[in-house]
Amino acid sequence: MTIGRTVRRPPLAALLLIAVALAQVGLARAGGLTAWKGGGFGMFSTLDHGAHRRVSAVVEAPERSEQLEMPPSLELLAARAASLPADWLLHRLAEGIVARERRRQRPVSRVTLTVWRTEFDRATLHANERVLRAYVHVVQ
Amino acid sequence: MPTSTSFSSVDTALRLTAIALLLRPMGPWFVRPALIAAAALALIYPRALASARLWGAVALLIAFRIADDWPLADNHIYLLAYWALAIALSLRGAAPPAALAHNSRWLIGLAFACAVLWKAVLAPDFLDGRFFRVTLLTDPRFGEAAMLIGGLSQEELVANRRALSPLPEGAAWQTPPPIVETPRLRALARASTWGILLLEAAVAVAMLASAPAWIRHALLLVFCLVTYAFAPVAGFGWVLLVMGLTQTSDDDVWLRRLYVATFLVILFYSEVPWAALLLDVMA
């Protein structure tokens, strides 16, 4: 459809960009996706990105409750969950932790994941961590 | 269309796109070698360079790469996927150069429009300057800029990073540690905030409103030359430049050379620690 001499319909690739960007904004607003990811071109717009988000994990079992340092093998899953703290990503990370604990023959009955976001004061810039999402995985 | 000796705008843009793929190999094991092979074939064989199927395969492979560790892929990977798709579809049409230029204007315009939307409307900490103030103080990739232009010393940078380490939720400093921000650093943060916003808005408007060619090219080239001296995302600059290149005509020999030169300048930005070298010289 031609509206004017120089204005033409957006090409397919552009329509795809628009669709993905709209989905990204929706996920950022409703699902906690960081603006830097997901194809919305929000990088360099906010301090809410990977360097200022982290996931902590607490592993529990009878006579056991300890904070786990995220091992290198689970860093990618942790980074994905930190970028988008959705149930399915947190579930996959929790399952990864459970599998790892079992391989090391350590008891695990519950994994609690907390996604933290660092916020900087508008005036002083001093930083505080806030909970973005908490997720409890009970081992079946 | 591309031949072994042609250097048209489209030919140059497609070759540079292939070079960009080789400079930054990406993806899991089932994607990376295929992308590298496709890029190599495109550079060696003119028929491959002009093959809609090859570029369609590239688009699909990049889509797999995005899906594999979603949502971690950087935004320029998405743009590269859209661009490869645009190339594939344009090469199938009756007038590939015009189609590529049309796609290029829309893709660059929309990407910049989204960037402006995030910075000006959606992000809570960009317009008030927090983004650049904190980034200059804490991000190691901007440390040299903070020292060179902002006038901070190495010791002040280290102390600032410590002072800006986050406290647990609910905790507060009894005596907050001082954060050193020189007037030059504040000015740099302010200039970066408004400068980048206005430049991105100008590029978006110029592309989407089909402004005169010289305005589009000037804005895009200035954006790339300034931004990628500091932002460590050379791949983004390259994909913007190859898209901009397709908006030149075959007669614009010097403009085409300028695009190629800018592509190489960004390569040097990414490989040469120019800011650290300047600091050493000044010290």
Side-chain angles (χ1 to χ4, degrees):
Chain A
M1 181 178 69
T2 304
I3 298 171
R5 279 188 62 186
T6 54
V7 177
R8 290 161 60 191
R9 187 174 53 193
L12 179 63
L15 292 173
L16 199 52
L17 185 157
I18 292 169
V20 170
L22 286 174
Q24 186 260 2
V25 172
L27 269 176
R29 300 306 248 184
L33 174 66
T34 164
W36 285 57
K37 303 294 182 184
F41 301 96
M43 63 285 164
F44 296 104
S45 71
T46 175
L47 292 163
D48 183 22
H49 58 75
H52 299 302
R53 284 194 182 189
R54 68 181 180 94
V55 182
S56 64
V58 173
V59 175
E60 292 172 274
E63 298 183 353
R64 183 190 184 201
S65 176
E66 62 180 286
Q67 179 122 357
L68 192 76
E69 194 171 313
M70 207 59 69
S73 58
L74 293 174
E75 274 174 1
L76 182 60
L77 276 176
R80 294 174 74 186
S83 291
L84 174 62
D87 277 0
W88 65 279
L89 283 170
L90 289 164
H91 177 80
R92 286 177 75 171
L93 177 57
E95 290 274 292
I97 291 171
V98 169
R100 186 176 180 276
E101 293 301 293
R102 282 178 174 162
R103 277 197 301 274
R104 283 157 178 74
Q105 294 174 339
R106 294 198 284 246
V108 52
S109 58
R110 191 157 86 164
V111 177
T112 303
L113 298 173
T114 309
V115 181
W116 301 88
R117 174 167 67 191
T118 301
E119 293 177 356
F120 296 87
D121 184 88
R122 191 180 288 258
T124 65
L125 299 187
H126 283 118
N128 272 94
E129 280 194 320
R130 303 247 183 270
V131 174
L132 186 57
R133 177 83 203 273
Y135 178 84
V136 177
H137 175 76
V138 177
V139 179
Q140 301 298 329
Chain B
M1 288 316 299
T3 67
S4 61
T5 55
S6 74
F7 291 99
S8 67
S9 294
V10 168
D11 180 271
T12 308
L14 297 186
R15 289 183 193 282
L16 284 176
T17 305
I19 290 171
L21 288 172
L22 291 173
L23 284 171
R24 293 290 187 267
M26 65 175 99
W29 65 267
F30 53 90
V31 165
R32 194 177 172 110
L35 269 176
I36 292 171
L41 287 171
L43 286 173
I44 296 168
Y45 299 110
R47 283 186 70 175
L49 189 68
S51 163
R53 280 191 187 153
L54 181 137
W55 289 105
V58 166
L60 204 58
L61 286 167
I62 299 174
F64 284 144
R65 178 259 177 272
I66 291 170
D68 180 62
D69 67 353
W70 190 83
L72 294 181
D74 287 339
N75 288 294
H76 70 278
I77 307 296
Y78 289 81
L79 195 57
L80 197 50
Y82 303 141
W83 179 233
L85 175 64
I87 294 172
L89 295 174
S90 300
L91 289 173
R92 291 186 59 178
L100 279 169
H102 178 62
N103 273 274
S104 154
R105 274 198 307 280
W106 274 99
L107 288 174
I108 297 174
L110 287 172
F112 276 76
C114 290
V116 169
L117 177 67
W118 268 106
K119 290 179 172 72
V121 179
L122 300 175
D125 50 2
F126 186 82
L127 287 182
D128 63 13
R130 261 181 295 170
F131 173 74
F132 273 111
R133 288 173 67 197
V134 172
T135 299
L136 286 167
L137 291 172
T138 60
D139 192 327
R141 298 170 300 178
F142 291 88
E144 276 122 16
M147 289 192 283
L148 199 60
I149 306 171
L152 287 182
S153 67
Q154 180 69 34
E155 295 74 24
E156 284 168 337
L157 258 187
V158 169
N160 281 337
R161 282 177 194 156
R162 216 177 298 124
L164 287 171
S165 298
L167 294 177
E169 187 179 29
W173 289 105
Q174 194 173 25
T175 312
I179 297 170
V180 177
E181 277 188 285
T182 60
R184 275 166 59 186
L185 192 78
R186 284 264 196 164
L188 176 61
R190 238 184 341 263
S192 301
T193 298
W194 290 102
I196 208 75
L197 180 63
L198 291 173
L199 190 49
E200 286 182 347
V203 173
V205 169
M207 292 292 167
L208 293 174
S210 282
W214 71 269
I215 294 176
R216 284 183 269 126
H217 293 307
L219 285 171
L220 187 63
L221 287 166
V222 164
F223 176 83
C224 289
L225 281 168
V226 169
T227 303
Y228 298 106
F230 301 98
V233 208
F236 213 134
W238 290 331
V239 75
L240 291 175
L241 288 169
V242 299
M243 289 197 288
L245 189 53
T246 61
Q247 295 181 42
T248 65
S249 72
D250 289 346
D251 296 333
D252 293 329
V253 174
W254 281 104
L255 186 54
R256 202 156 62 242
R257 287 176 181 170
L258 191 53
Y259 268 98
V260 174
T262 307
F263 187 103
L264 295 175
V265 166
I266 291 178
L267 174 65
F268 274 84
Y269 282 160
S270 74
E271 297 296 323
V272 177
W274 64 270
L277 291 171
L278 254 179
L279 277 169
D280 285 345
V281 165
M282 286 165 61

